[in-house]
Amino acid sequence: MKLHLLDRSTKLSNASFTIRNNSYPNFLKIWHYHPEFELVTILKSSGTRFIGDNIEQFNVNEIVLIGKNLPHMWLNDREYFEKNSKLEAQAIAIHFKEDFAGETFFTMPEMNAIKKLFENAQYGIRFSGDLTLAIKRIKKLDDLNGFDKTISFLKVLNLLANHQEYKLLSSIGFVNSFKKTGRTNLAEVYEYIIKNFKDRITLEDVANIACMNPTAFSRVFKRVNRKTFSEYLNEVRIGYACKLLMEEKYNISEICFESGFNNISNFNRQFKKTTNYSPTEYIKTHLSGS
């Protein structure tokens, strides 16, 4: 899963933001990033969402805001790639620069909520709860022009900025690695983990990628992420396991090995540690609403 930089500068040369209603048999399988913010509203389809080192299931009527240079990808379920599939993947994607309204516009006191929204977007934000009004306004944006379009978009951002139900997705360590500041750039390590978490990964493997000895790497990784490498790897795997459990396509034993664990007891222990539920409890709680 190679990381690609997508250049959207040409599309934004004559507009402060762009709106595109994407409708395909499936979303493009490209792990990518770009300097623009991206607001994505899923209208049709399901699958796995990768935002930084966060891996979760996605479904219809989901809104996600992605900050600049945060790697991401929406990967549809397998049936969307079958030869005779009649399924459709549809989403509205809005791309904009952080200063699209001017360099100082969002520094005004009245813009504090949106400024905070932009700060949180560096981790990726998934909004939940009642998003009916937000989705309705997003759908109408493409029918507007000029001043009305810009004002309506600002209203969408303000609505999301004041929405109380949301989740920050990527970890602090992953985000910091892509800022490429200081001496410890761990970007290649995170890429390797996302690509290979289903397989056996050792401390020596990732230390070599970071060009460090294992002891030094462990010390740096824990300082950046506030958790050990093994804890971090387990959380990525459990995130993927949660996604598989929600799909109800595999039993718990299959999900254990599909997620990169080599025995059921360790899988159950790590799952409980990460989510506070056993896999069975997680299914009952999140699928039945009990």
PDB file of all heavy atoms in Angstrom, residues 250-261:
ATOM      1  N   TYR A 250     -17.572 -13.064   9.536  1.00  0.00           N
ATOM      2  CA  TYR A 250     -16.627 -14.059  10.024  1.00  0.00           C
ATOM      3  C   TYR A 250     -16.923 -14.366  11.490  1.00  0.00           C
ATOM      4  O   TYR A 250     -17.455 -13.535  12.218  1.00  0.00           O
ATOM      5  CB  TYR A 250     -15.184 -13.548   9.906  1.00  0.00           C
ATOM      6  CG  TYR A 250     -14.810 -13.042   8.543  1.00  0.00           C
ATOM      7  CD1 TYR A 250     -14.920 -11.683   8.232  1.00  0.00           C
ATOM      8  CD2 TYR A 250     -14.343 -13.908   7.562  1.00  0.00           C
ATOM      9  CE1 TYR A 250     -14.568 -11.204   6.982  1.00  0.00           C
ATOM     10  CE2 TYR A 250     -13.987 -13.441   6.307  1.00  0.00           C
ATOM     11  CZ  TYR A 250     -14.104 -12.087   6.024  1.00  0.00           C
ATOM     12  OH  TYR A 250     -13.768 -11.625   4.778  1.00  0.00           O
ATOM     13  N   ASN A 251     -16.540 -15.564  11.928  1.00  0.00           N
ATOM     14  CA  ASN A 251     -16.672 -15.853  13.346  1.00  0.00           C
ATOM     15  C   ASN A 251     -15.468 -15.287  14.097  1.00  0.00           C
ATOM     16  O   ASN A 251     -14.489 -14.837  13.486  1.00  0.00           O
ATOM     17  CB  ASN A 251     -16.848 -17.354  13.596  1.00  0.00           C
ATOM     18  CG  ASN A 251     -15.645 -18.174  13.140  1.00  0.00           C
ATOM     19  OD1 ASN A 251     -14.498 -17.810  13.376  1.00  0.00           O
ATOM     20  ND2 ASN A 251     -15.914 -19.296  12.487  1.00  0.00           N
ATOM     21  N   ILE A 252     -15.519 -15.340  15.422  1.00  0.00           N
ATOM     22  CA  ILE A 252     -14.483 -14.699  16.232  1.00  0.00           C
ATOM     23  C   ILE A 252     -13.116 -15.332  16.006  1.00  0.00           C
ATOM     24  O   ILE A 252     -12.096 -14.632  15.950  1.00  0.00           O
ATOM     25  CB  ILE A 252     -14.877 -14.743  17.723  1.00  0.00           C
ATOM     26  CG1 ILE A 252     -16.091 -13.821  17.959  1.00  0.00           C
ATOM     27  CG2 ILE A 252     -13.718 -14.303  18.618  1.00  0.00           C
ATOM     28  CD1 ILE A 252     -16.657 -13.885  19.360  1.00  0.00           C
ATOM     29  N   SER A 253     -13.067 -16.633  15.851  1.00  0.00           N
ATOM     30  CA  SER A 253     -11.788 -17.309  15.614  1.00  0.00           C
ATOM     31  C   SER A 253     -11.158 -16.851  14.300  1.00  0.00           C
ATOM     32  O   SER A 253      -9.948 -16.579  14.223  1.00  0.00           O
ATOM     33  CB  SER A 253     -11.983 -18.827  15.585  1.00  0.00           C
ATOM     34  OG  SER A 253     -12.382 -19.303  16.842  1.00  0.00           O
ATOM     35  N   GLU A 254     -11.952 -16.742  13.266  1.00  0.00           N
ATOM     36  CA  GLU A 254     -11.445 -16.280  11.973  1.00  0.00           C
ATOM     37  C   GLU A 254     -10.943 -14.846  12.064  1.00  0.00           C
ATOM     38  O   GLU A 254      -9.906 -14.489  11.494  1.00  0.00           O
ATOM     39  CB  GLU A 254     -12.546 -16.389  10.915  1.00  0.00           C
ATOM     40  CG  GLU A 254     -12.918 -17.815  10.541  1.00  0.00           C
ATOM     41  CD  GLU A 254     -14.133 -17.886   9.649  1.00  0.00           C
ATOM     42  OE1 GLU A 254     -15.049 -17.044   9.808  1.00  0.00           O
ATOM     43  OE2 GLU A 254     -14.187 -18.792   8.792  1.00  0.00           O
ATOM     44  N   ILE A 255     -11.680 -14.013  12.785  1.00  0.00           N
ATOM     45  CA  ILE A 255     -11.300 -12.604  12.934  1.00  0.00           C
ATOM     46  C   ILE A 255      -9.998 -12.474  13.711  1.00  0.00           C
ATOM     47  O   ILE A 255      -9.154 -11.623  13.404  1.00  0.00           O
ATOM     48  CB  ILE A 255     -12.437 -11.814  13.620  1.00  0.00           C
ATOM     49  CG1 ILE A 255     -13.616 -11.676  12.655  1.00  0.00           C
ATOM     50  CG2 ILE A 255     -11.952 -10.437  14.088  1.00  0.00           C
ATOM     51  CD1 ILE A 255     -14.863 -11.082  13.277  1.00  0.00           C
ATOM     52  N   CYS A 256      -9.814 -13.334  14.701  1.00  0.00           N
ATOM     53  CA  CYS A 256      -8.571 -13.338  15.471  1.00  0.00           C
ATOM     54  C   CYS A 256      -7.360 -13.442  14.551  1.00  0.00           C
ATOM     55  O   CYS A 256      -6.451 -12.607  14.598  1.00  0.00           O
ATOM     56  CB  CYS A 256      -8.591 -14.494  16.475  1.00  0.00           C
ATOM     57  SG  CYS A 256      -6.984 -14.968  17.140  1.00  0.00           S
ATOM     58  N   PHE A 257      -7.343 -14.431  13.683  1.00  0.00           N
ATOM     59  CA  PHE A 257      -6.186 -14.659  12.816  1.00  0.00           C
ATOM     60  C   PHE A 257      -6.141 -13.664  11.660  1.00  0.00           C
ATOM     61  O   PHE A 257      -5.058 -13.265  11.221  1.00  0.00           O
ATOM     62  CB  PHE A 257      -6.211 -16.105  12.309  1.00  0.00           C
ATOM     63  CG  PHE A 257      -6.037 -17.109  13.410  1.00  0.00           C
ATOM     64  CD1 PHE A 257      -7.124 -17.829  13.895  1.00  0.00           C
ATOM     65  CD2 PHE A 257      -4.795 -17.315  13.988  1.00  0.00           C
ATOM     66  CE1 PHE A 257      -6.974 -18.750  14.925  1.00  0.00           C
ATOM     67  CE2 PHE A 257      -4.632 -18.229  15.026  1.00  0.00           C
ATOM     68  CZ  PHE A 257      -5.723 -18.942  15.502  1.00  0.00           C
ATOM     69  N   GLU A 258      -7.298 -13.240  11.163  1.00  0.00           N
ATOM     70  CA  GLU A 258      -7.353 -12.247  10.086  1.00  0.00           C
ATOM     71  C   GLU A 258      -6.798 -10.905  10.542  1.00  0.00           C
ATOM     72  O   GLU A 258      -6.268 -10.128   9.735  1.00  0.00           O
ATOM     73  CB  GLU A 258      -8.795 -12.091   9.608  1.00  0.00           C
ATOM     74  CG  GLU A 258      -8.993 -11.095   8.475  1.00  0.00           C
ATOM     75  CD  GLU A 258      -8.376 -11.524   7.160  1.00  0.00           C
ATOM     76  OE1 GLU A 258      -8.083 -12.741   7.002  1.00  0.00           O
ATOM     77  OE2 GLU A 258      -8.165 -10.668   6.291  1.00  0.00           O
ATOM     78  N   SER A 259      -6.863 -10.631  11.833  1.00  0.00           N
ATOM     79  CA  SER A 259      -6.407  -9.351  12.379  1.00  0.00           C
ATOM     80  C   SER A 259      -4.941  -9.364  12.791  1.00  0.00           C
ATOM     81  O   SER A 259      -4.418  -8.336  13.227  1.00  0.00           O
ATOM     82  CB  SER A 259      -7.256  -8.957  13.591  1.00  0.00           C
ATOM     83  OG  SER A 259      -8.617  -8.881  13.246  1.00  0.00           O
ATOM     84  N   GLY A 260      -4.292 -10.513  12.687  1.00  0.00           N
ATOM     85  CA  GLY A 260      -2.868 -10.564  12.978  1.00  0.00           C
ATOM     86  C   GLY A 260      -2.485 -11.223  14.282  1.00  0.00           C
ATOM     87  O   GLY A 260      -1.295 -11.258  14.636  1.00  0.00           O
ATOM     88  N   PHE A 261      -3.466 -11.746  15.017  1.00  0.00           N
ATOM     89  CA  PHE A 261      -3.162 -12.448  16.261  1.00  0.00           C
ATOM     90  C   PHE A 261      -2.974 -13.933  15.968  1.00  0.00           C
ATOM     91  O   PHE A 261      -3.590 -14.483  15.053  1.00  0.00           O
ATOM     92  CB  PHE A 261      -4.287 -12.250  17.277  1.00  0.00           C
ATOM     93  CG  PHE A 261      -4.399 -10.829  17.764  1.00  0.00           C
ATOM     94  CD1 PHE A 261      -5.277  -9.934  17.146  1.00  0.00           C
ATOM     95  CD2 PHE A 261      -3.629 -10.377  18.824  1.00  0.00           C
ATOM     96  CE1 PHE A 261      -5.378  -8.621  17.577  1.00  0.00           C
ATOM     97  CE2 PHE A 261      -3.725  -9.070  19.264  1.00  0.00           C
ATOM     98  CZ  PHE A 261      -4.592  -8.186  18.642  1.00  0.00           C
TER      99      PHE A 261
END
